[in-house]
Amino acid sequence: MAVTDFFVGEIATELLKMMVQISTKSCLCKTTAAQIANSIQQILPIIEEIKYSGVELPAHRQFQLDRFSETLRRGIEISEKALQCGRLNIYRNLRLARKMEKLEKDICRFISGTMQAHILADVHHMRFETTERFDRLEGVWLERRLESMKIRADGSREGGWWVEEAFKRAEEEEKYETNLVNIGTGLRVGKRKLKELVIGRDDLRAVGISGIGGSGKTTLAREFCKDPEVRRHFKEKILFLTVSQSPDVEQLRRTIWGYLTGSENVNSNDLILHGRAANSALLVLDDVWSISVLENLIPNIPGCKTLAVSRFKFPEVLRETYEVELLRESEAIALFCHSAFGQQSIPLAANHNLVKQVVNECKCLPLALKVIGASLRGQSEMFWNNAKTRLSRGELICESHENKLLRRMAISIERLSSKVRECFLDLGCFPEDKKIPLDILINVWKELHDLDDEEALAVLFELSQKNLLTLVKDARGGDIYSSYYEMYVTQHDVLRDLALHFSSQEIVNNRKRLLMPKSDTELPKEWLRKSDQPFNAQLVSIHTGEMKEMDWTQMIFPEAEVLILNFSSSGYFLPPFLCNMPKLRALVVLNNNATHATLNNFSVFFSLVNLRSIWLEKISMTQLFDACAPLKHLRKISLVFCKINKSLNDSTVNVSQIFPLLLELKIDHCNDLVKLPSSICEMQSLKCLSVTNCHSLSQLPTNSWKMKNLQILRLFACPLLTTLPPSICELSCLKFIDISQCVYLTSLPEEIGKLANLEKIDMRECSLIRRLPRSVVCLQSLCHIICEEDVSWLWEDVKSHMPNLYIQVAEKCFDLDWLDE
């Protein structure tokens, strides 16, 4: 490795940091700096590969790197001057902006020239020549293990640190598993064989990947798509779609056609996937269950290849299918030990033979290794021996591999405490392959099992630690004031099947959970045959298409507390048996269709006297509230992706009379909401008001002062808001305000200092705010501000009067992971 290789990487890294700093400042070269940072992000991985490859480059390549190094050094000098330049020095800022523009052109010219192609060619050859070296390094990679962490379940709220730590651990787990898989022989072999089939054979239009649930099929497909050789072959034109058991085939066909042809307006009646492709393309169809669906989705376009991922083989459609190879023994032990002991090898104090016997019973299946390993962590040797015996008893010759896996993983479920086990089984009520909003899940658990927020979160993190679900969050989630809607849960299909398997052991009328495993056009026949007798289920989940009045059967649910209605249509008749659910406390209505749905049969709401929460998603609100009697026990309502249709206008309805004791109101992604009705402010019991991602909202009510008990006010991503009403300053109980991404907001209310209990303000991406009211120094409870760097200096000026104030400068994230979606 030449000295130049090393220093050009260091210089590029330093320049990238400086460009990110400049891009957060309010200066003339802000945009150019962001573009330069993005360009360096593209070239930096290539430089790093050269830097650590140990390969000497030819002289002419070294000369090109020398010249590029000088360009980057010049960039650092310009950046230092830009960071030191005052905001009011217009002439100097203008000169620096011009120099920055020239620097950007020089960097882009280097990246887009022949140098990049030459370096990529060298790296390509280097990878093939060093395959054996990576094999030898396998043990080194696996030694990057994680420290085990205990999640607090004592209800402590101290700064919300345990929430952050749990998410951090989940992210580190994902990184570890990616590293483990990437060096695995099975993945390398799988990628090589797929390349032979997909790239090497022009006679194959479609190729399959098959394997049992949890064997790593999707992981292999995603890593195949990320492979540089594959990306170059298909010129980055790769579409990855999840099909699932109940797909919207027409919508998927539209997506495929639009991606391959560039046409978005396609008549579904004329949608025939035939034509010519300007360039080669790769279509990946993950989680395919039906041959008829697969036949409808494979495009007949020259140059387009399809990769179908499924638990099943489809020889009628796929002439060649690669069967996923499970982990080798050493890889299986490493993955199991990571879950069971927090390291990649068997500890010296452990019983090596016993550990290997348990690993052997997992049959090298990645999901089983993770789940069973996590369930045995911290247990005694006696418990391990008992688990090994029970695992071995599940080995029946006549069983399929799928049933074997359910039997093996059943041990992990049986080991859970009764409360946690019940919460795990509740996960079967949600559709497969969908992100589950944490807000819904936590609310279901609270209503069914009488948990408070802290207990529900403790259950959530225990299930996450045991690899029985996966936590997903956005960049904003995780602190004490975060909305649960900013966090999600996902679950592997096999784990969902396990929950469904346990929930269906009893006869249908005696089950605690009455669940439809997948979407259907009608209710299960098993339900209909027993509809003359009461159903004792506490949780009912129905997954259908459009339902009309005649499609329903009258049924009785005397014990039902939670009802989840999943459907996909533009019209839906609410089930008449809602009147026969006297104990119903939570109603979740989820429309998975591309368009909003109109609900009918609102009269059923009159009988829901004990209803405590409603979640409506992608629903048209026309006449909904008009038909409602006062819901005196309702504490929470969420309207997500709904079409408001002026249904909240004061002249139409008084929401404070319909929801007299409401504690939390959430309105998210309701883009036709223009004005928040003043009647909302009449709800004096309201503690949390969230109006987020409503891009047409431009006016807030002037009587906000009436919400005397309001503690949390979220106005995130409402870009048309220009001012906050002065009456907000009268909310004496207010603790948190989120006005982030209200990009046209120009000021804070002058008397904001009256908010004596205000603890936190999130005002990131509010760059038009150029001054703070003098009264902010009176905010003695304020301890946390989140803002951009060019706004942070406003708070720095008043920090001497507020010694406990922590100013968090929001970081910009240059992330290209979305390209893999």
Side-chain angles (χ1 to χ4, degrees), residues 463-488:
L463 291 174
S464 176
Q465 278 190 304
K466 295 184 181 303
N467 295 312
L468 294 173
L469 55 76
T470 302
L471 288 171
V472 183
K473 69 164 184 171
D474 69 7
R476 306 166 53 82
D479 65 62
I480 193 171
Y481 288 118
S482 292
S483 169
Y484 291 145
Y485 184 66
E486 296 164 356
M487 309 176 198
Y488 299 88

Side-chain angles (χ1 to χ4, degrees), residues 645-684:
N645 292 317
K646 299 181 180 181
S647 60
L648 292 178
N649 287 6
D650 293 324
S651 59
T652 306
V653 64
N654 188 330
V655 292
S656 64
Q657 294 181 2
I658 299 177
F659 314 122
L661 298 176
L662 198 68
L663 298 178
E664 182 175 348
L665 173 61
K666 173 174 17 186
I667 304 174
D668 184 75
H669 281 97
C670 297
N671 289 332
D672 66 335
L673 179 65
V674 176
K675 178 182 178 182
L676 202 64
S678 59
S679 60
I680 286 181
C681 299
E682 302 289 341
M683 294 188 288
Q684 297 186 13

Side-chain angles (χ1 to χ4, degrees), residues 122-234:
D122 283 351
V123 173
H124 176 73
H125 292 303
M126 180 188 69
R127 283 175 174 161
F128 281 95
E129 293 168 359
T130 57
T131 299
E132 292 183 358
R133 180 182 303 160
F134 275 103
D135 286 340
R136 291 195 300 271
L137 289 175
E138 179 173 338
V140 177
W141 279 74
L142 289 178
E143 286 178 0
R144 298 179 178 177
R145 62 180 184 259
L146 303 173
E147 294 294 330
S148 61
M149 185 202 59
K150 299 295 183 180
I151 298 297
R152 292 180 61 179
D154 57 2
S156 172
R157 294 175 174 265
E158 296 177 6
W161 66 267
W162 54 293
V163 181
E164 290 285 1
E165 286 297 319
F167 278 114
K168 185 184 299 182
R169 181 181 184 275
E171 291 166 357
E172 291 175 346
E173 288 275 344
E174 182 179 357
K175 292 179 182 176
Y176 173 88
E177 290 162 20
T178 300
N179 289 336
L180 177 67
V181 171
N182 280 337
I183 64 172
T185 300
L187 188 74
R188 285 201 300 270
V189 172
K191 287 168 64 176
R192 177 172 56 80
K193 291 187 177 180
L194 283 178
K195 288 178 185 178
E196 293 173 359
L197 296 174
V198 177
I199 298 177
R201 292 185 53 177
D202 293 332
D203 61 317
L204 295 178
R205 185 163 56 96
V207 174
I209 298 177
S210 72
I212 64 174
S215 60
K217 301 183 298 295
T218 300
T219 298
L220 173 59
R222 290 191 178 278
E223 292 301 319
F224 178 76
C225 293
K226 293 177 183 178
D227 186 270
E229 184 182 355
V230 176
R231 285 186 171 277
R232 286 196 301 272
H233 179 82
F234 292 102

Side-chain angles (χ1 to χ4, degrees), residues 707-739:
M707 295 184 287
K708 295 295 185 181
N709 293 303
L710 193 69
Q711 297 179 9
I712 296 175
L713 176 61
R714 296 191 187 94
L715 300 171
F716 164 65
C718 296
L720 295 187
L721 277 180
T722 57
T723 59
L724 298 178
S727 57
I728 285 181
C729 301
E730 304 297 330
L731 302 176
S732 58
C733 294
L734 196 64
K735 294 183 177 181
F736 173 56
I737 299 178
D738 185 353
I739 53 174

Side-chain angles (χ1 to χ4, degrees), residues 569-584:
S569 71
S570 57
Y572 192 80
F573 192 90
L574 291 172
F577 55 71
L578 271 168
C579 298
N580 298 324
M581 292 183 165
K583 295 184 179 181
L584 191 67

Side-chain angles (χ1 to χ4, degrees), residues 361-484:
E361 290 298 333
C362 295
K363 303 302 178 185
C364 295
L365 189 65
L367 185 62
L369 290 163
K370 289 168 55 181
V371 171
I372 295 175
S375 70
L376 295 175
R377 174 176 287 193
Q379 297 300 320
S380 65
E381 184 171 334
M382 183 180 296
F383 187 94
W384 276 69
N385 192 64
N386 180 261
K388 183 262 299 183
T389 303
R390 296 170 67 189
L391 285 169
S392 62
R393 288 174 181 170
E395 188 78 28
L396 298 178
I397 297 176
C398 62
E399 288 184 324
S400 69
H401 283 85
E402 200 75 22
N403 288 332
K404 291 178 184 178
L405 178 59
L406 290 177
R407 279 184 176 272
R408 290 189 177 91
M409 291 197 301
I411 280 190
S412 301
I413 310 307
E414 293 168 359
R415 187 201 168 280
L416 298 173
S417 66
S418 59
K419 181 193 300 182
V420 177
R421 182 179 185 273
E422 292 298 310
C423 289
F424 169 79
L425 297 180
D426 294 336
L427 288 165
C429 70
F430 297 100
E432 59 168 352
D433 298 320
K434 297 290 185 183
K435 287 183 178 180
I436 306 168
L438 191 55
D439 205 346
I440 296 180
L441 182 60
I442 292 292
N443 197 60
V444 168
W445 285 349
K446 288 168 63 176
E447 299 298 349
L448 284 177
H449 309 298
D450 298 322
L451 306 178
D452 57 27
D453 284 340
E454 288 73 26
E455 290 173 324
L457 283 172
V459 169
L460 179 81
F461 294 133
E462 181 176 344
L463 291 174
S464 176
Q465 278 190 304
K466 295 184 181 303
N467 295 312
L468 294 173
L469 55 76
T470 302
L471 288 171
V472 183
K473 69 164 184 171
D474 69 7
R476 306 166 53 82
D479 65 62
I480 193 171
Y481 288 118
S482 292
S483 169
Y484 291 145

